[in-house]
Amino acid sequence: MTRDPVTGTYARRLLVIAVTEYDDGTPAQQQEFSTGVSAQVTVVEGWWADPGLDDGRRFAPARPKQLHNLRDLREFLLDEELAEVDDDEALVVYITGHGLAPANSPQHFLRLPDSYEDRPLSTAFPTAELIATVLDSRATHVLVMVDSCFSGRLETELKANLKALREGRRSLGSLVVLAAGNDESRPRLGQFTNLLRAAHEHCSDQANGYAGSHLSWQDWKGIVGAVFDANTMADVHEIWPTPSAAVQRAHQQPSPCLPNPSYTAVEPVLGASLSQVGWTRTELDTYWISRAAGQPGAGAPGWYFTGRTELVKRVLAFLVGTENVLIVTGEAGSGKSALLARMVTLSDARFRADPHYGPLIADIPEELDVPVGSVDAALLARNSDPDELAQTLYEALGGSPSVFSTARTARPRTASSGPAKPLEEGPVVALCKLVGELALLRGRPLTLVVDGIDEARNPTRVITDLLRPLTQLRMETDGRPAVRLLLGVRSPRKYTTVAESEARRPSTSTPTAPSTDLLGLLIRATHSGNLIRTDDVEATMGDIAAYVRALLQAPYEGQGGAEEGRPELLGLDPAQPQLRYQHRSLAAAVAEEVSPSFLDARIAAERLRSMRILPSPDDPPWRRTLRKGTEALLREDLGEVARWHDTPAEHLMTVLRTSAFGQGAGLPWADIWPAAVRALCLTPVADPDAVIRQVMASRLNGYLTTAVEDERTVYRPIHERISETLRYSPQFLLGLPDTDPAEHFPEISITATHAQLVWAFGELLPPAPDQPPHPYLRRHLIAHVAAAGLVDDLHVPWRFLPWETSGTVRAALGLPADFHTGAACLAAWARIEAFLGDAGAAARADSLRLSLLGTAVGRGAAGNMVATRPLPLYRSGITPRWSQLRVPDNLLARMSTPLASLVSFTLPDGSPLVAAGDQGGEVRVWDPRTGTEFGLPFRPARTYAPWPC
């Protein structure tokens, strides 16, 4: 289930009701108790009222001036007017003090200093009264924490007392009450807040990667499970709301009552249409701005990437011209993304108004400046499919995310439209409609930037299903194209035209080139004759020399040997005049050896900046390393960091390598990354977390970049070329001979590597079906399983399926679904996957059980499928006895009009397709292996009756 943005709140209030002054015990004991309660309050206020929280998340604390008797407390509550709290106010209440639980009553009371234990009704405060007041208010988001003895008995009391609560609030999952144990628990002083303190520290740990502004209640439960210590912490129970499918679904969304203590608000630097739907300034600096500036890191302010004059002018001519497609291509690392990012960042009015970047913009010559507003939307295609990209573009252009709410919940990666969802509701169609409306409204075509097409999950489908339909859109007024596309795709340098009438074909001399001719397909699909290459060696050499020189002369910001644990290896001051000539000579040498790779130039410059003694520009070994490119530079860095940290280079390399196998936006740190390191490293790693921290603290972290997915920080290699090196050449990075890899890396097999990861991730799946797996596994485990060829019930246990969010089980299993014993649960799931919508995990588990009945071999007297053996650990209030569910196992889609003809054919890459033509002459195409729709419907220029495909 994809998270929605956290609900905005007008105000946030923290009520602290802490009884500190009892006359029990000796004066020393009384003082100890008072001090302990004050310490508890400090922990609570340190989370919810922390001055470090931004204004939109910080709670305003309120406490009674004195709290001796029932009158003091009631007057305070009357002054707070809790019953009048508005629906846009978040309310957190913390109650602590001695609890009373009379033997002859089901009630729980908060004991006050003047209370009589034998007269609780008139002298103590009924705790449920306060809880009922706030739950019956209009506040949509409420958290009550009861930290006192016997507080667990409130669960029964609330269920009885709140029967009069209006139905809409009884089922509201955003009203939560926590108690410090069960009805007999007597938590010791500080035990409840020990749990809060540990949870706070857990969130603040970089390794756990909580990146959103707020946590969800599902996050909270996972954190409690990770930090709980029965010896020092209270066993906190959630006593309200009553568990249900709706509550479970609500608890997956971020709560305004749970501000993430590790989150730092960052003002977006780009407008919404260019911000990749919610990217922060930090995220943009990591990709667009850092690449446009050619910066060595997100914190460096210099605008180093000022060259490439001719290429910039050609792109500017496109932006102000009339052509509708421009393709920017080149080999890996040659600066395609930097060129595109320059257009994106400089076209944005918000970016140009930012004072931080003002001096950089002022230095740009007028003829190289980008007109404001010349780019309407920009996105990265990496690890995305056509529907995801269409959704992202739709929202970036101002479309409402709610249009796709059901689809996003059910399947963030749409695998199959299924029989329940007509094509007209798909993201690509919705995007095309929106683009047409906006172009008509603005009276001009929209300019869209799509980079990293070759890094998409299925680049061919992105081209055929998304980019091609966009190029076919026309404005109703004058027939002009409604869209202008600026596209970035990788291709090998030796790329020649076979004949004028034929598409271009790539050379096979580059082993890391895409396996199919994406550039040729892109040219044919978009009818583009406009191409810019960024990898001309002679043309880039001068720019690379200037780039390296600027990097070498930039001020140091914590870089150099001190980062590697060697404070004596401080980098040289680049401002020293005697170094300028040496920098110039070294920059020229780097350019000679690495052109046209700006990526290699950047890595080489960073290595030079960390050296105490700079090499001679003519040093043969140094030049030989440069000439070997990214792989050799990374190998040198691995060796040096391994020596400085006294850590095996294989361990460091494995940390980087595992990130290259991450799906989606990248690999999260907590749980997932350490498990992957253990799985892929051929020598034992005692503490993977420690090795990951060494990588992050060294200059090796320069090979990684971060992103946010499912509100978690994730990591991946900074460039696809580095990813390929890590995936395919690990032995080279360790300096092992290619001729004798028997001991290390006997077979570099992507399939085998994914299989190792699947086994490792399988051990992370919770044993109980009511416990959610890690968000990364929920979204990407099926992708790893499919890549490993292990799509069966052993590697995808049934208890995981109700939590699965990718919606690609049907596609991974293939059609028709095979109900053999090894994949019976998966096949049953595939039958219902398209119908599950936004159902919660419990409802999905019930649906799976019902679907399994439809696969049983026995039938009842009426011909209905009869009950089979129960699922292990399956618990539900529903016990299905029979099923009449009839879902064809080989159903691709349902046609809305009568079918006239059906034909199968094969693409040049061997992929089979099925085309169906209806009686009106419209043709639709599907991939029969996955049930995935291929492109948009189309009508041939001529039709016949009967209509042949």
Side-chain angles (χ1 to χ4, degrees):
M1 181 173 182
T2 301
R3 292 196 184 196
D4 297 327
V6 67
T7 303
T9 53
Y10 175 75
R12 292 147 301 282
R13 216 185 321 175
L14 169 64
L15 267 60
V16 176
I17 300 172
V19 186
T20 60
E21 300 177 6
Y22 293 105
D23 56 5
D24 302 354
T26 66
Q29 290 173 329
Q30 295 173 18
Q31 181 60 41
E32 180 183 2
F33 182 84
S34 178
T35 302
V37 171
S38 297
Q40 292 179 164
V41 172
T42 299
V43 172
V44 172
E45 292 183 342
W47 188 323
W48 280 270
D50 182 5
L53 295 175
D54 55 89
D55 293 342
R57 299 189 302 137
R58 186 172 58 252
F59 284 68
R63 298 176 61 180
K65 294 180 180 178
Q66 62 179 23
L67 201 54
H68 296 295
N69 52 45
L70 198 55
R71 180 177 179 178
D72 291 339
L73 181 51
R74 291 196 181 279
E75 287 181 351
F76 169 72
L77 296 178
L78 286 173
D79 290 341
E80 290 297 318
E81 299 180 329
L82 296 181
E84 304 303 319
V85 174
D86 289 329
D87 58 358
D88 59 354
E89 182 172 355
L91 191 61
V92 173
V93 181
Y94 175 66
I95 304 170
T96 186
H98 288 314
L100 289 177
N104 57 348
S105 170
Q107 289 180 279
H108 179 275
F109 295 88
L110 178 66
R111 180 185 162 199
L112 301 167
D114 292 349
S115 297
Y116 293 92
E117 293 191 26
D118 59 344
R119 296 175 56 205
L121 292 174
S122 58
T123 62
F125 184 79
T127 314
E129 177 184 321
L130 170 57
I131 298 174
T133 299
V134 296
L135 295 188
D136 194 40
S137 70
R138 290 192 295 270
T140 306
H141 298 277
V142 174
L143 166 61
V144 180
M145 296 175 284
V146 185
D147 183 7
S148 69
C149 298
F150 318 116
S151 57
R153 79 160 42 188
L154 283 164
E155 182 172 10
T156 303
E157 188 177 356
L158 289 176
K159 288 180 180 178
N161 292 356
L162 294 177
K163 289 182 179 180
L165 193 65
R166 54 195 185 276
E167 182 59 32
R169 293 188 69 80
R170 286 182 60 83
S171 59
L172 203 57
S174 56
L175 310 179
V176 176
V177 181
L178 303 178
N182 57 33
D183 54 359
E184 299 296 332
S185 297
R186 295 171 177 261
R188 295 192 300 273
L189 198 65
Q191 284 194 315
F192 187 98
T193 49
N194 282 347
L195 179 65
L196 292 182
R197 184 184 295 108
H200 190 285
E201 293 172 353
H202 183 86
C203 293
S204 301
D205 188 346
Q206 178 191 7
N208 295 313
Y210 291 99
S213 61
H214 293 78
L215 306 172
S216 69
W217 285 108
Q218 191 176 94
D219 291 333
W220 163 260
K221 293 171 186 176
I223 293 168
V224 169
V227 304
F228 180 67
D229 180 358
N231 296 320
T232 61
M233 300 175 187
D235 186 10
V236 175
H237 289 197
E238 182 182 303
I239 61 175
W240 188 270
T242 302
S244 69
V247 167
Q248 186 182 65
R249 189 163 58 247
H251 281 192
Q252 296 178 23
Q253 302 300 334
S255 168
C257 292
L258 289 175
N260 178 8
S262 66
Y263 175 80
T264 301
V266 180
E267 182 69 19
V269 69
L270 295 187
S273 63
L274 304 180
S275 65
Q276 285 284 297
V277 192
W279 277 18
T280 65
R281 179 188 299 265
T282 301
E283 292 166 337
L284 283 166
D285 281 349
T286 302
Y287 191 87
W288 287 121
I289 295 173
S290 67
R291 292 196 179 186
Q295 296 174 194
W303 187 276
Y304 301 111
F305 200 67
T306 55
R308 320 207 81 174
T309 301
E310 293 306 316
L311 292 179
V312 170
K313 287 181 177 180
R314 289 182 63 185
V315 178
L316 286 175
F318 168 79
L319 291 178
V320 300
T322 59
E323 292 180 284
N324 67 322
V325 179
L326 174 62
I327 300 172
V328 178
T329 188
E331 68 178 31
S334 61
K336 301 178 301 298
S337 294
L339 189 61
L340 295 176
R342 183 184 180 93
M343 305 301 120
V344 171
T345 53
L346 290 176
S347 72
D348 187 78
R350 183 194 294 250
F351 172 78
R352 299 179 73 95
D354 192 314
H356 179 68
Y357 302 104
L360 311 178
I361 298 171
D363 289 339
I364 300 174
E366 182 178 355
E367 67 274 13
L368 299 180
D369 204 357
V370 180
V372 177
S374 54
V375 176
D376 293 288
L379 78 162
L380 302 173
R382 184 185 186 274
N383 270 354
S384 298
D385 62 23
D387 276 3
E388 284 180 319
L389 295 178
Q391 241 173 266
T392 303
L393 271 175
Y394 185 91
E395 296 174 21
L397 291 172
S400 172
S402 63
V403 172
F404 307 109
S405 59
T406 301
R408 296 182 79 162
T409 302
R411 48 183 186 280
R413 278 192 342 230
T414 303
S416 169
S417 296
K421 180 172 180 256
L423 178 71
E424 285 71 22
E425 298 175 5
V428 176
V429 174
L431 173 64
C432 290
K433 291 180 179 178
L434 178 63
V435 167
E437 294 169 359
L438 292 177
L440 184 63
L441 180 65
R442 300 177 186 181
R444 62 168 178 82
L446 303 186
T447 300
L448 309 180
V449 177
V450 182
D451 190 23
I453 295 171
D454 54 286
E455 298 178 37
R457 189 176 299 115
N458 190 328
T460 299
R461 298 292 299 277
V462 168
I463 295 171
T464 59
D465 295 18
L466 177 62
L467 300 181
R468 179 182 176 183
L470 286 175
T471 61
Q472 294 173 342
L473 296 176
R474 292 294 182 268
M475 299 180 66
E476 295 181 1
T477 54
D478 53 14
R480 283 185 300 160
V483 173
R484 307 177 72 238
L485 295 177
L486 182 54
L487 307 174
V489 64
R490 181 175 47 159
S491 67
R493 197 188 319 168
K494 295 180 180 180
Y495 195 95
T496 58
T497 302
V498 176
E500 187 173 334
S501 61
E502 296 181 359
R504 296 179 173 184
R505 303 294 179 186
S507 165
T508 58
S509 60
T510 306
T512 59
S515 57
T516 58
D517 180 11
L518 290 180
L519 179 57
L521 176 62
L522 188 59
I523 293 171
R524 294 192 300 273
T526 62
H527 301 287
S528 172
N530 203 2
L531 192 71
I532 291 180
R533 295 206 65 89
T534 59
D535 53 7
D536 182 274
V537 175
E538 296 299 326
T540 58
M541 194 172 297
D543 286 323
I544 287 181
Y547 174 44
V548 173
R549 189 163 62 250
L551 290 174
L552 293 176
Q553 295 174 359
Y556 282 90
E557 298 184 6
Q559 299 179 15
E563 277 190 347
E564 315 291 357
R566 297 284 299 277
E568 71 276 12
L569 291 180
L570 294 175
L572 297 171
D573 181 5
Q576 295 180 21
Q578 63 270 27
L579 289 179
R580 291 190 176 275
Y581 175 77
Q582 194 171 8
H583 284 164
R584 183 178 295 274
S585 301
L586 288 170
V590 170
E592 290 174 7
E593 301 296 346
V594 307
S595 293
S597 176
F598 284 82
L599 173 64
D600 290 352
R602 171 176 169 172
I603 297 172
E606 284 302 290
R607 285 186 50 77
L608 289 171
R609 284 170 62 85
S610 69
M611 293 180 180
R612 177 69 176 177
I613 300 176
L614 295 175
S616 166
D618 299 321
D619 181 57
W622 175 68
R623 277 187 172 255
R624 187 162 51 248
T625 299
L626 293 177
R627 200 173 304 126
K628 291 180 179 179
T630 307
E631 296 85 351
L633 294 167
L634 176 53
R635 182 175 65 183
E636 294 286 336
D637 277 338
L638 280 168
E640 291 182 10
V641 174
R643 290 191 295 273
W644 289 336
H645 287 287
D646 193 25
T647 301
E650 182 180 335
H651 293 184
L652 298 171
M653 188 276 297
T654 304
V655 168
L656 296 177
R657 186 169 187 249
T658 49
S659 71
F661 285 94
Q663 299 294 305
L667 206 65
W669 186 335
D671 300 328
I672 303 298
W673 206 351
V677 170
R678 282 197 180 97
L680 299 193
C681 194
L682 296 182
T683 58
V685 184
D687 188 354
D689 267 307
V691 183
I692 294 172
R693 292 184 190 278
Q694 286 180 348
V695 168
M696 301 306 294
S698 74
R699 73 164 175 264
L700 292 177
N701 72 358
Y703 291 93
L704 298 172
T705 187
T706 61
V708 175
E709 185 175 76
D710 293 325
E711 303 297 328
R712 302 291 180 95
T713 301
V714 294
Y715 302 83
R716 68 173 186 268
I718 198 168
H719 198 281
E720 183 61 20
R721 181 172 174 181
I722 294 174
S723 295
E724 291 170 344
T725 299
L726 290 164
R727 284 194 292 260
Y728 295 103
S729 305
Q731 73 275 36
F732 176 83
L733 295 176
L734 297 178
L736 300 174
D738 294 335
T739 56
D740 186 23
E743 182 178 354
H744 288 80
F745 308 102
E747 180 184 8
I748 306 304
S749 167
I750 300 302
T751 300
T753 302
H754 279 288
Q756 292 173 289
L757 293 174
V758 167
W759 281 107
F761 294 157
E763 295 179 356
L764 300 178
L765 297 178
D770 58 348
Q771 297 175 341
H774 192 285
Y776 178 83
L777 299 181
R778 296 174 63 182
R779 185 182 288 268
H780 298 302
L781 179 61
I782 297 300
H784 286 288
V785 168
L790 299 174
V791 187
D792 54 44
D793 291 346
L794 175 63
H795 299 94
V796 187
W798 84 265
R799 66 183 187 275
F800 166 77
L801 291 173
W803 297 99
E804 209 277 331
T805 60
S806 76
T808 57
V809 173
R810 184 182 184 217
L813 194 61
L815 293 176
D818 186 359
F819 288 93
H820 62 79
T821 55
C825 287
L826 284 175
W829 183 264
R831 300 169 73 218
I832 61 174
E833 187 176 53
F835 304 96
L836 293 172
D838 61 349
R844 288 173 169 232
D846 289 337
S847 300
L848 173 60
R849 179 65 177 131
L850 185 65
S851 180
L852 274 171
L853 296 185
T855 67
V857 294
R859 293 181 180 270
N864 301 319
M865 295 296 185
V866 298
T868 58
R869 59 181 181 176
L871 294 169
L873 302 177
Y874 174 78
R875 295 189 301 272
S876 173
I878 301 174
T879 305
R881 299 297 183 185
W882 54 269
S883 170
Q884 288 183 315
L885 181 66
R886 298 290 186 271
V887 180
D889 302 326
N890 61 346
L891 181 65
L892 287 179
R894 180 171 295 156
M895 299 288 288
S896 58
T897 56
L899 185 66
S901 58
L902 192 69
V903 66
S904 63
F905 59 98
T906 304
L907 293 178
D909 64 0
S911 301
L913 295 176
V914 172
D918 65 18
Q919 292 182 354
E922 187 173 74
V923 179
R924 298 183 182 185
V925 183
W926 287 271
D927 182 341
R929 299 168 301 178
T930 63
T932 308
E933 217 151 6
F934 194 95
L936 295 177
F938 66 94
R939 293 178 181 273
R942 298 179 61 187
T943 58
Y944 302 88
W947 198 87
C949 290

